[in-house]
Amino acid sequence: MGQILNWDDLKTVIDKLKANGKKIVFTNGCFDIIHIGHIRYLREAKKLGDILIVGLNSDSSVSKIKPGRPINTERHRAEILSSLEMVDYVTIFNEDTPYELIKHLMPDVLVKGGDWKIEDIVGSDIVTEVYSLPYVEGISTTEIINKIISSEKNL
């Protein structure tokens, strides 16, 4: 089971892991309602290195980019993510983007979903190995929320 750490504690851990030759993979997102697209994506991300770190948007960060969200609190989202077998560490960031977090941690690999072009991935200018993984079409948190709302209207 993964751990939820603050930035500085995580940096200390990463430095030790790197000193022992471990390859650090970083991804980030809201992960508001975990679905199969997230699971497949995180599994693929983990395959790109030894340690997978998830930078999680805080509640205030999510609400700035997705009005009316999040559905689940940052603490709940962090706990769910940290319980996934492929996730080693979770840390929360308050900023609109994870740029400062990426700069602080300096992972070896940076990963986002296929809806992002590599040149548009935040941090691609400071991390040398960057991937845009395949996106699972038709599966998103927004689509799940809309389906629930639609189902409620039909009751």
Side-chain angles (χ1 to χ4, degrees):
M1 187 159 142
Q3 295 181 41
I4 303 165
L5 298 177
N6 66 45
W7 292 21
D8 290 333
D9 289 346
L10 183 54
K11 175 67 172 160
T12 301
V13 169
I14 288 172
D15 289 347
K16 288 178 185 172
L17 290 165
K18 282 183 163 190
N20 288 322
K22 299 295 183 186
K23 190 173 187 179
I24 309 300
V25 179
F26 178 92
T27 192
N28 67 280
C30 301
F31 298 97
D32 195 5
I33 298 175
I34 299 291
H35 52 71
I36 193 64
H38 291 134
I39 299 301
R40 290 176 183 168
Y41 166 76
L42 291 169
R43 274 193 192 128
E44 289 304 308
K46 174 69 176 209
K47 291 178 184 177
L48 296 170
D50 301 304
I51 302 296
L52 178 60
I53 297 168
V54 177
L56 182 65
N57 290 74
S58 68
D59 291 346
S60 63
S61 176
V62 172
S63 66
K64 288 179 196 168
I65 58 176
K66 298 183 182 200
R69 303 255 304 273
I71 302 298
N72 292 299
T73 68
E74 63 192 51
R75 297 307 312 162
H76 290 175
R77 292 181 287 122
E79 187 174 335
I80 290 166
L81 281 168
S82 71
S83 73
L84 298 175
E85 66 186 29
M86 70 290 279
V87 175
D88 297 293
Y89 298 96
V90 177
T91 194
I92 298 170
F93 65 95
N94 290 310
E95 298 74 18
D96 293 347
T97 75
Y99 192 80
E100 292 303 318
L101 174 58
I102 293 165
K103 197 161 78 170
H104 183 69
L105 300 177
M106 289 307 296
D108 301 302
V109 181
L110 185 57
V111 182
K112 284 296 282 181
D115 49 338
W116 287 82
K117 294 179 187 168
I118 287 181
E119 61 270 15
D120 295 334
I121 295 173
V122 172
S124 63
D125 61 324
I126 54 175
V127 177
T128 53
E129 203 173 326
V130 183
Y131 297 93
S132 179
L133 297 180
Y135 181 72
V136 180
E137 289 296 324
I139 300 174
S140 73
T141 300
T142 301
E143 289 181 26
I144 292 169
I145 291 169
N146 290 338
K147 187 174 184 179
I148 292 167
I149 290 168
S150 176
S151 296
E152 284 288 311
K153 289 179 183 175
N154 293 328
L155 290 179

